[in-house]
Amino acid sequence: MTTLKFDMIQTVALAAVVLFLGYAIRRRISVLDRFNIPAPVVGGFIFAAVALALRQSGVLALEFDTTLQSPFMIAFFTTIGLGASLSLLKKGGPQVVLFWLLASFLAVLQNGVGASIASAMGVDPLIGLISGSITMTGGHGTGAAFGKMMEEQYQITGAVTVAMAAATFGLVSGGLIGGPVGTRLITKFGLRRATPDVHAGEAAKAAAVAPIDAEIDTEPDGEAPTAFLLLQMITVVLVCMALGGLLSKWLGQFVTLPGYIGAMLVAAIVRNLADSTRVLKISVRTVDDLGTIALSLFLTMALMSLRLWELLDLAGPMIVILVVQVSMMAAFAYFVTFRVMGRDYDAAVMAGGHCGFGLGATPNAVANMTSLAERFGAAPRAFLVLPMVGAFFIDFSNAIIITAYIDFLR
């Protein structure tokens, strides 16, 4: 069988083409847009399926030089760190802290359930973690990062493939159950607003972190980046990545960590020092743009190089774990999130959003809350709290929780 090899630059170039193939397909198939399936996932999975067909038929095997995949991943999580401003946490008030703790507790449960079921079915418990908070709370980005680490450090075959499949399953499931959970709470407890707010969808979009397509297609708030400002923010990201690499190496002597943790921590320190000293102004808009670019290329490279044939042996246990995770998420949102967050209308909307948040990504959560708000009325507190936790804070606690589980299981 002939093998076609792509060097580092050719791999990135192909990833960019596959990424825009994903955009084109997503815009033409409404169900993909409805469930906020990211364009890198659409294009990457289709490319991986074609590569699998070529390989299985004995026609052609593809090999990629993914050297730049890790730097893109670290750059993305560095931009997350640069967005973690303590002043935002203060503005959100106790509700933001409360929901952050709630979401972190759910991550603990997700990992416990995943690891326990995997062990009971005779599968490595690390696979259970991949189908736990790594992909459920973490989504595709965290899934690809930890999956790569597990393949390299623990020789877990097919970890990235399992992570991408689990994250996509969670993304779709979160979009399906969020609306019904929120609707049931609102109608059961008579929480419907008297006057539905037809502008709730617009408010949601303004308050939330937009999906990847929207970030690229629409003009975000903030100062338009000049060449100088862009270069300045790139420098900040690169310096954080460099210092973060040293920090990760030092921390690695004590705990097992993914490569991005050090850079994300350094970036968070830099952001808050900049806010307090005003020596450096962090352009949130420019940093967000850089993060979107890095995440898009990183995810596309991870997905198009998937070895889908490695998924066959793990499909059964993974499906069982994921079905349990979806059921637990629905029950947690209904019985815990709603009650802890106040048992009022905003809490019900937040519970519906938590289904998307805890099984996929912040855009899914916002889509769930938007559909509820458009039908029953505005929920301003829900649209402030959940996107703030999803965009800036959950990645920190989730990474700590995942790392603690890995160290315990190993």
Side-chain angles (χ1 to χ4, degrees), residues 310-322:
E310 296 174 346
L311 193 60
L312 298 177
D313 294 337
L314 297 170
M318 186 181 73
I319 290 173
V320 172
I321 295 170
L322 292 175

PDB file of all heavy atoms in Angstrom, residues 310-322:
ATOM      1  N   GLU A 310      -9.032   2.431  15.489  1.00  0.00           N
ATOM      2  CA  GLU A 310      -8.721   2.132  16.877  1.00  0.00           C
ATOM      3  C   GLU A 310      -9.955   2.230  17.784  1.00  0.00           C
ATOM      4  O   GLU A 310      -9.917   1.814  18.940  1.00  0.00           O
ATOM      5  CB  GLU A 310      -7.644   3.084  17.403  1.00  0.00           C
ATOM      6  CG  GLU A 310      -6.309   2.951  16.696  1.00  0.00           C
ATOM      7  CD  GLU A 310      -5.304   4.004  17.149  1.00  0.00           C
ATOM      8  OE1 GLU A 310      -5.721   4.978  17.793  1.00  0.00           O
ATOM      9  OE2 GLU A 310      -4.110   3.837  16.842  1.00  0.00           O
ATOM     10  N   LEU A 311     -11.042   2.777  17.247  1.00  0.00           N
ATOM     11  CA  LEU A 311     -12.247   2.992  18.039  1.00  0.00           C
ATOM     12  C   LEU A 311     -13.099   1.732  18.173  1.00  0.00           C
ATOM     13  O   LEU A 311     -13.907   1.624  19.087  1.00  0.00           O
ATOM     14  CB  LEU A 311     -13.085   4.110  17.396  1.00  0.00           C
ATOM     15  CG  LEU A 311     -14.239   4.718  18.190  1.00  0.00           C
ATOM     16  CD1 LEU A 311     -13.725   5.337  19.477  1.00  0.00           C
ATOM     17  CD2 LEU A 311     -14.964   5.746  17.342  1.00  0.00           C
ATOM     18  N   LEU A 312     -12.895   0.763  17.293  1.00  0.00           N
ATOM     19  CA  LEU A 312     -13.788  -0.390  17.213  1.00  0.00           C
ATOM     20  C   LEU A 312     -13.844  -1.177  18.519  1.00  0.00           C
ATOM     21  O   LEU A 312     -14.919  -1.518  19.013  1.00  0.00           O
ATOM     22  CB  LEU A 312     -13.354  -1.298  16.050  1.00  0.00           C
ATOM     23  CG  LEU A 312     -13.411  -0.650  14.652  1.00  0.00           C
ATOM     24  CD1 LEU A 312     -12.888  -1.616  13.599  1.00  0.00           C
ATOM     25  CD2 LEU A 312     -14.832  -0.215  14.322  1.00  0.00           C
ATOM     26  N   ASP A 313     -12.690  -1.482  19.105  1.00  0.00           N
ATOM     27  CA  ASP A 313     -12.658  -2.311  20.313  1.00  0.00           C
ATOM     28  C   ASP A 313     -13.222  -1.592  21.540  1.00  0.00           C
ATOM     29  O   ASP A 313     -13.617  -2.241  22.516  1.00  0.00           O
ATOM     30  CB  ASP A 313     -11.222  -2.761  20.614  1.00  0.00           C
ATOM     31  CG  ASP A 313     -10.681  -3.706  19.548  1.00  0.00           C
ATOM     32  OD1 ASP A 313     -11.508  -4.342  18.864  1.00  0.00           O
ATOM     33  OD2 ASP A 313      -9.447  -3.797  19.394  1.00  0.00           O
ATOM     34  N   LEU A 314     -13.228  -0.265  21.495  1.00  0.00           N
ATOM     35  CA  LEU A 314     -13.665   0.504  22.668  1.00  0.00           C
ATOM     36  C   LEU A 314     -15.080   1.056  22.526  1.00  0.00           C
ATOM     37  O   LEU A 314     -15.587   1.705  23.442  1.00  0.00           O
ATOM     38  CB  LEU A 314     -12.693   1.671  22.900  1.00  0.00           C
ATOM     39  CG  LEU A 314     -11.246   1.288  23.239  1.00  0.00           C
ATOM     40  CD1 LEU A 314     -10.358   2.522  23.206  1.00  0.00           C
ATOM     41  CD2 LEU A 314     -11.170   0.615  24.596  1.00  0.00           C
ATOM     42  N   ALA A 315     -15.714   0.798  21.394  1.00  0.00           N
ATOM     43  CA  ALA A 315     -17.024   1.402  21.116  1.00  0.00           C
ATOM     44  C   ALA A 315     -18.069   1.001  22.145  1.00  0.00           C
ATOM     45  O   ALA A 315     -18.831   1.846  22.637  1.00  0.00           O
ATOM     46  CB  ALA A 315     -17.481   1.020  19.706  1.00  0.00           C
ATOM     47  N   GLY A 316     -18.143  -0.305  22.500  1.00  0.00           N
ATOM     48  CA  GLY A 316     -19.154  -0.782  23.440  1.00  0.00           C
ATOM     49  C   GLY A 316     -19.065  -0.137  24.811  1.00  0.00           C
ATOM     50  O   GLY A 316     -20.026   0.506  25.273  1.00  0.00           O
ATOM     51  N   PRO A 317     -17.915  -0.253  25.498  1.00  0.00           N
ATOM     52  CA  PRO A 317     -17.778   0.384  26.818  1.00  0.00           C
ATOM     53  C   PRO A 317     -17.984   1.891  26.774  1.00  0.00           C
ATOM     54  O   PRO A 317     -18.580   2.470  27.688  1.00  0.00           O
ATOM     55  CB  PRO A 317     -16.340   0.021  27.221  1.00  0.00           C
ATOM     56  CG  PRO A 317     -16.018  -1.211  26.456  1.00  0.00           C
ATOM     57  CD  PRO A 317     -16.746  -1.082  25.162  1.00  0.00           C
ATOM     58  N   MET A 318     -17.494   2.528  25.699  1.00  0.00           N
ATOM     59  CA  MET A 318     -17.611   3.975  25.619  1.00  0.00           C
ATOM     60  C   MET A 318     -19.075   4.404  25.528  1.00  0.00           C
ATOM     61  O   MET A 318     -19.496   5.361  26.184  1.00  0.00           O
ATOM     62  CB  MET A 318     -16.846   4.497  24.398  1.00  0.00           C
ATOM     63  CG  MET A 318     -16.788   6.022  24.330  1.00  0.00           C
ATOM     64  SD  MET A 318     -15.916   6.617  22.880  1.00  0.00           S
ATOM     65  CE  MET A 318     -17.096   6.261  21.603  1.00  0.00           C
ATOM     66  N   ILE A 319     -19.882   3.685  24.761  1.00  0.00           N
ATOM     67  CA  ILE A 319     -21.296   4.025  24.616  1.00  0.00           C
ATOM     68  C   ILE A 319     -22.019   3.881  25.954  1.00  0.00           C
ATOM     69  O   ILE A 319     -22.834   4.727  26.339  1.00  0.00           O
ATOM     70  CB  ILE A 319     -21.957   3.147  23.534  1.00  0.00           C
ATOM     71  CG1 ILE A 319     -21.433   3.547  22.156  1.00  0.00           C
ATOM     72  CG2 ILE A 319     -23.477   3.286  23.576  1.00  0.00           C
ATOM     73  CD1 ILE A 319     -21.889   2.642  21.034  1.00  0.00           C
ATOM     74  N   VAL A 320     -21.711   2.814  26.689  1.00  0.00           N
ATOM     75  CA  VAL A 320     -22.336   2.609  27.998  1.00  0.00           C
ATOM     76  C   VAL A 320     -22.008   3.779  28.930  1.00  0.00           C
ATOM     77  O   VAL A 320     -22.892   4.342  29.591  1.00  0.00           O
ATOM     78  CB  VAL A 320     -21.867   1.283  28.635  1.00  0.00           C
ATOM     79  CG1 VAL A 320     -22.368   1.180  30.079  1.00  0.00           C
ATOM     80  CG2 VAL A 320     -22.364   0.101  27.817  1.00  0.00           C
ATOM     81  N   ILE A 321     -20.727   4.147  28.982  1.00  0.00           N
ATOM     82  CA  ILE A 321     -20.303   5.249  29.848  1.00  0.00           C
ATOM     83  C   ILE A 321     -21.006   6.547  29.457  1.00  0.00           C
ATOM     84  O   ILE A 321     -21.506   7.289  30.312  1.00  0.00           O
ATOM     85  CB  ILE A 321     -18.771   5.438  29.790  1.00  0.00           C
ATOM     86  CG1 ILE A 321     -18.060   4.208  30.364  1.00  0.00           C
ATOM     87  CG2 ILE A 321     -18.353   6.687  30.565  1.00  0.00           C
ATOM     88  CD1 ILE A 321     -16.554   4.214  30.132  1.00  0.00           C
ATOM     89  N   LEU A 322     -21.086   6.818  28.159  1.00  0.00           N
ATOM     90  CA  LEU A 322     -21.660   8.079  27.696  1.00  0.00           C
ATOM     91  C   LEU A 322     -23.159   8.152  27.967  1.00  0.00           C
ATOM     92  O   LEU A 322     -23.684   9.220  28.308  1.00  0.00           O
ATOM     93  CB  LEU A 322     -21.372   8.271  26.205  1.00  0.00           C
ATOM     94  CG  LEU A 322     -19.894   8.511  25.854  1.00  0.00           C
ATOM     95  CD1 LEU A 322     -19.704   8.570  24.340  1.00  0.00           C
ATOM     96  CD2 LEU A 322     -19.378   9.789  26.498  1.00  0.00           C
TER      97      LEU A 322
END
